[in-house]
Amino acid sequence: MSSCIFLFPNALLSEEERNQLGNAAIPGPLRDMCLGFSEPTCFPVFGTEALQGIATDQWIWMNIAKKENLIPYAPLLWEGFGGQRISKEFWQVSPYFLDAKGNIEEAAEAFDLDEECYLRDLLAPLARKYKLEVQVLDGRFFFARKTAWKIEVCPWKAQLHQKPQPVFGEDKSEFEAVDSEIKNLLQGSELSQYRKENDRQEVQGLWISGGGFDTAIKDVSFTRVVQTNSVLVKGICKSCGIANNFVTPEGAPWPAECPEGDRLSICTDFLDPAVKKDKRKWIDAWEKIRKHVENHLTTAKGIENLELFNPVLVATDGLRVSTITKSLKKSFFPMFGKKQDFSRQWICPKD
């Protein structure tokens, strides 16, 4: 039996957040939605705080692609932005600056056309020296290599807001040399001068991470339909052979004539930090989600409208994933069945 999976990134409450919301932490719409579901399971996706912040991405990668390795951000983003498939190893290049505490912060999501030219010229000699290819797509930079770079680097999303994490691996010295040269090249460069003249944040370095090969993994995933606005998730879907017409925007109706298999609907209502700090916003978000789940379960028609879809609710935070499911199979002993409410255990799991 296939499942309708509803993913809610950043919906898990910490003890502090639960106390701040008080009685509103488990509002009526949340309890109503979870009624009849089984006892939830919660687990940390990673065993290290260094990867804080990418549990959602990793869960999506593991769920759709059925892979256990660390999510290869660079090739998936390249695909998601519409890049052509290239049989080389891709690395994401993310511009950053250091704040007063020495933590890495994003300097720019993407560069404009003038900045692209300045940075291309800046990186060209270094790329030739270390046998890197500079790839640019919509103002976003990537490095490509013919052979794998044998290093382990903290992914960009996990590296944000903390001090630079150490690099490990056989090619560590070369990687650190590239990193050092980039920092030196940026100082006093035309790019730096241009950004200064246009009142833009200084770029002090480029965090290189998320390396991996762009490998098609078709006919592996059980997921057939995905609703998302995420470029990364679109890249995962493309790699897994999910057709474009079955990757629809967040909140849209299910596409017509869905193929048999699991369906994933991603709801980003909790990505705004203000939602978990405001009782009214928190309650309203769950009322909206309750209606969304109810509507999507009602309209999830399978082959000849006979297939039932088990609902699965998944909530995440920086490191954890909490899942609660409901079987639609009829019980042989319905008179003894008692619908329990596990909404608190699901959304406020104990560490």
Side-chain angles (χ1 to χ4, degrees), residues 199-216:
D199 296 321
R200 297 182 186 175
Q201 176 62 53
E202 178 187 9
V203 177
Q204 296 178 336
L206 302 174
W207 189 258
I208 305 167
S209 65
F213 286 89
D214 184 12
T215 306

Side-chain angles (χ1 to χ4, degrees), residues 228-246:
T228 183
N229 296 332
S230 166
V231 172
L232 175 70
V233 179
K234 290 176 182 177
I236 294 174
C237 293
K238 191 173 180 181
S239 289
C240 292
I242 299 175
N244 288 338
N245 54 315
F246 296 121

Side-chain angles (χ1 to χ4, degrees), residues 2 219 244 280 301 310:
S2 301
D219 302 324
N244 288 338
R280 187 70 261 162
K301 302 297 184 182
N310 287 324

